[in-house]
């Protein structure tokens, strides 16, 4: 009998280049044990939503109006995940921290891509360009990206994959961000998603 594919949801907030890397990896067969079944954005204007719809993937905007609405926000996400029978959640540039109530419900079922070599430049306050600004400020000569499981500690869960990237003279945060994406994030995220999707589909 054919194994059932792991149903994947990708949570996004912005441009969605990592989402695009996942879509491309699905089209090229790098991801074949899972299928991207749902995209959720907490930002209505995220270009990631357009990328999802262009690829024919169901895409939802779920708003988080104020910080005290965290519980309602997460409840709405959980409902969408359940309605769509999601097995694996991928945070791909998702700029909202999830509570322990959420992360413990999906133990070892949430992956995140972070644009540094954890434990450097990670945790609360380190996201997007800020990570690369901090790396340049420190003067490190090597940085990179990390895929890890998500638990209640921001960027603190078990590491799945890492890839190093050289810092070059004259780098700006934007130039470094782009190099880390091209040489690390867009490669290791699809590989890690395939590996975990395969493990889940074998266990089901
Ligand atoms: C990526 O560099 C991702 O690693 C980072 O935000 C960017 C999103 O770009 N994520 C974090 O900083 C999470 N703490 P994208 O929307 O084009 O994928």
């Amino acid at each position: 009998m054919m194994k059932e594919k792991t149903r994947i949801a990708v949570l996004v907030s912005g441009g969605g280049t990592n989402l695009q890397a996942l879509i491309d990896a699905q089209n090229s067969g790098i991801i074949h044990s899972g299928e991207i079944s749902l995209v959720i954005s907490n930002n209505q204007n995220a270009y990631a939503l357009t990328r999802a719809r262009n690829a024919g993937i169901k895409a939802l905007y779920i708003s988080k109006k104020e910080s005290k609405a965290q519980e309602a926000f997460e409840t709405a996400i959980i409902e969408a995940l359940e309605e769509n029978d999601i097995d694996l959640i991928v945070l791909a540039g998702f700029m909202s921290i999830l509570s322990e109530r959420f992360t413990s419900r999906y133990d070892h079922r949430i992956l995140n891509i972070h644009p540094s070599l954890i434990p450097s430049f990670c945790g609360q306050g380190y996201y997007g360009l800020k990570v690369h600004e901090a790396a340049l400020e420190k003067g490190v000569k090597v940085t990179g990206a990390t895929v890890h499981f998500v638990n209640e500690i921001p960027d603190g869960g078990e590491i799945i994959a890492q890839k190093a990237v050289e810092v070059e003279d004259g780098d700006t945060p934007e130039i470094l961000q782009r190099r880390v994406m091209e040489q690390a994030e867009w490669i290791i995220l699809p590989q890690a998603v395939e590996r975990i999707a395969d493990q889940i589909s074998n266990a089901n």
Side-chain angles (χ1 to χ4, degrees), residues 74-102:
E74 291 182 356
T75 299
I77 295 176
I78 291 168
E79 279 171 12
L81 297 172
E82 290 190 343
E83 268 167 32
N84 290 280
D85 291 323
I86 298 301
D87 310 298
L88 177 63
I89 301 159
V90 180
L91 310 185
F94 185 63
M95 300 303 180
S96 179
I97 290 179
L98 296 163
S99 75
E100 179 165 12
R101 166 177 168 261
F102 188 97

Side-chain angles (χ1 to χ4, degrees), residues 14-18 92-93 95 112-115 126-128 131 177 181 185:
T17 66
N18 279 288
M95 300 303 180
N112 180 46
I113 176 84
H114 182 78
Y126 287 99
Y127 57 88
V131 177
Q177 178 182 52
M181 286 175 158
E185 297 186 45

Side-chain angles (χ1 to χ4, degrees), residues 88 107-112 147-151 155-160 196 199:
L88 177 63
D107 186 32
H108 287 80
R109 293 296 179 105
I110 313 174
L111 306 190
N112 180 46
V147 181
H148 62 93
F149 284 114
V150 174
N151 66 9
D155 298 323
E158 185 187 331
I159 291 173
I160 299 166
I196 305 304
Q199 286 171 12

Side-chain angles (χ1 to χ4, degrees), residues 102-142:
F102 188 97
T103 58
S104 62
R105 186 184 181 107
Y106 297 102
D107 186 32
H108 287 80
R109 293 296 179 105
I110 313 174
L111 306 190
N112 180 46
I113 176 84
H114 182 78
S116 74
L117 294 174
I118 290 175
S120 288
F121 314 118
C122 65
Q124 199 122 27
Y126 287 99
Y127 57 88
L129 266 186
K130 288 178 193 285
V131 177
H132 305 291
E133 284 164 8
L136 291 175
E137 173 79 12
K138 185 67 193 175
V140 294
K141 303 302 174 206
V142 175

